[in-house]
Amino acid sequence: MRKEMFRMPRAEALAMLARAPFVRVATTTARGEPVLRALNAAVVGDRLVFHGAPVGEKTEALGREAVVSVEEVVASVPSYFVDPERACPATTLYRSVQVHGTLDEVTVASEKAHALEALLAKHQPEGGFVPIAHDHPLYRKTLASLLVVSVGLERLDGKSKLAQNRTPPEQRRIVEALWRRGADGDAAAAFAVVAANPETPVPDFLRAPEDLRLDGGTPSDAERCADLLADAYWNDRFT
């Protein structure tokens, strides 16, 4: 990575790869022709897995080097958030992950079943299907005819571009402007920029008494707060 300031911790990169709704896989055929596919995938142990038909370009690419990528746009930052005249400061805040590895076919029936079970658990978490087992009569024939591919995660790199290359005053202006704009995701983006740049002066809307700083929460934080307030005297009329 050219600028180490943007490098994402491996655990965060792995978590982002695991939650991505789909991945892009770029590789080549034996003839050197480029192949690019968008695929559903899941993380299983130290590998990324996906499935497909046993014929076609993906099959031709087995055993070849590939790049897998995912990305998340955090927020678009117009130039006037930073400078009232110059167009140059316009940018996009984002997170991205890339995996470099070899496309390996999964041939062991039990491992194929485990990979497909992981895919269903990710994309159909509500269940509603018979668990996938390699020796179950519902799945034995399908498993034998389906291609399952894996890519090792040894070469995994994550990038989190959240205004780390800006000056502290610019970072603060971006955070305050995101908060004022208030579009979908802007509040989360503002908190993300603050978290990524701890030396930046805290914006006024994040200041709290006793030198405390407000911060963004998660759904689990909200549930814990609700539990704390459940018995409050003014809360007996609400669910």
Side-chain angles (χ1 to χ4, degrees):
M1 187 172 300
R2 188 169 64 88
K3 292 187 177 181
E4 285 295 319
M5 70 175 71
F6 297 133
R7 186 176 296 280
M8 188 186 297
R10 180 178 174 86
E12 291 183 19
L14 189 60
M16 180 178 164
L17 182 66
R19 69 174 179 263
F22 65 93
V23 304
R24 293 185 177 89
V25 179
T27 185
T28 57
T29 67
R31 297 181 298 279
E33 297 172 342
V35 178
L36 178 63
R37 292 288 183 273
L39 303 165
N40 293 131
V43 173
V44 178
D46 60 353
R47 305 191 73 80
L48 184 76
V49 298
F50 58 88
H51 74 292
V55 294
E57 289 181 320
K58 288 196 294 294
T59 306
E60 295 179 36
L62 290 174
R64 300 183 70 81
E65 291 293 309
V67 180
V68 181
S69 70
V70 298
E71 61 281 327
E72 295 176 350
V73 173
V74 176
S76 294
V77 176
S79 60
Y80 52 80
F81 275 16
V82 177
D83 189 284
E85 297 180 344
R86 294 186 304 122
C88 306
T91 190
T92 299
L93 308 179
Y94 66 89
R95 302 181 183 95
S96 65
V97 172
Q98 283 194 348
V99 177
H100 294 254
T102 303
L103 298 180
D104 298 318
E105 182 178 4
V106 180
T107 58
V108 178
S110 59
E111 294 179 3
K112 292 174 73 173
H114 186 47
L116 296 174
E117 181 77 18
L119 281 164
L120 262 294
K122 175 180 178 179
H123 296 286
Q124 191 176 313
E126 71 276 15
F129 61 92
V130 175
I132 301 173
H134 71 281
D135 54 355
H136 196 290
L138 280 176
Y139 302 116
R140 191 180 299 117
K141 183 177 179 181
T142 299
L143 283 169
S145 62
L146 194 66
L147 174 69
V148 176
V149 181
S150 73
V151 181
L153 300 178
E154 293 84 5
R155 296 171 60 195
L156 178 147
D157 288 300
K159 183 176 182 179
S160 182
K161 189 171 184 291
L162 297 169
Q164 297 96 320
N165 58 329
R166 301 288 187 180
T167 66
E170 289 174 337
Q171 292 164 350
R172 179 169 176 166
R173 285 200 291 274
I174 289 171
V175 169
E176 291 174 337
L178 287 168
W179 188 259
R180 286 194 304 271
R181 186 171 67 180
D184 287 346
D186 277 353
F191 286 120
V193 173
V194 171
N197 301 282
E199 302 304 317
T200 299
V202 178
D204 291 340
F205 71 88
L206 291 180
R207 294 183 184 276
E210 305 297 334
D211 294 325
L212 296 175
R213 189 191 80 184
L214 302 176
D215 207 345
T218 66
S220 60
D221 292 331
E223 291 167 4
R224 286 194 289 268
C225 288
D227 290 340
L228 288 172
L229 297 171
D231 297 325
Y233 73 93
W234 44 262
N235 207 26
D236 58 356
R237 71 198 70 181
F238 303 108
T239 61

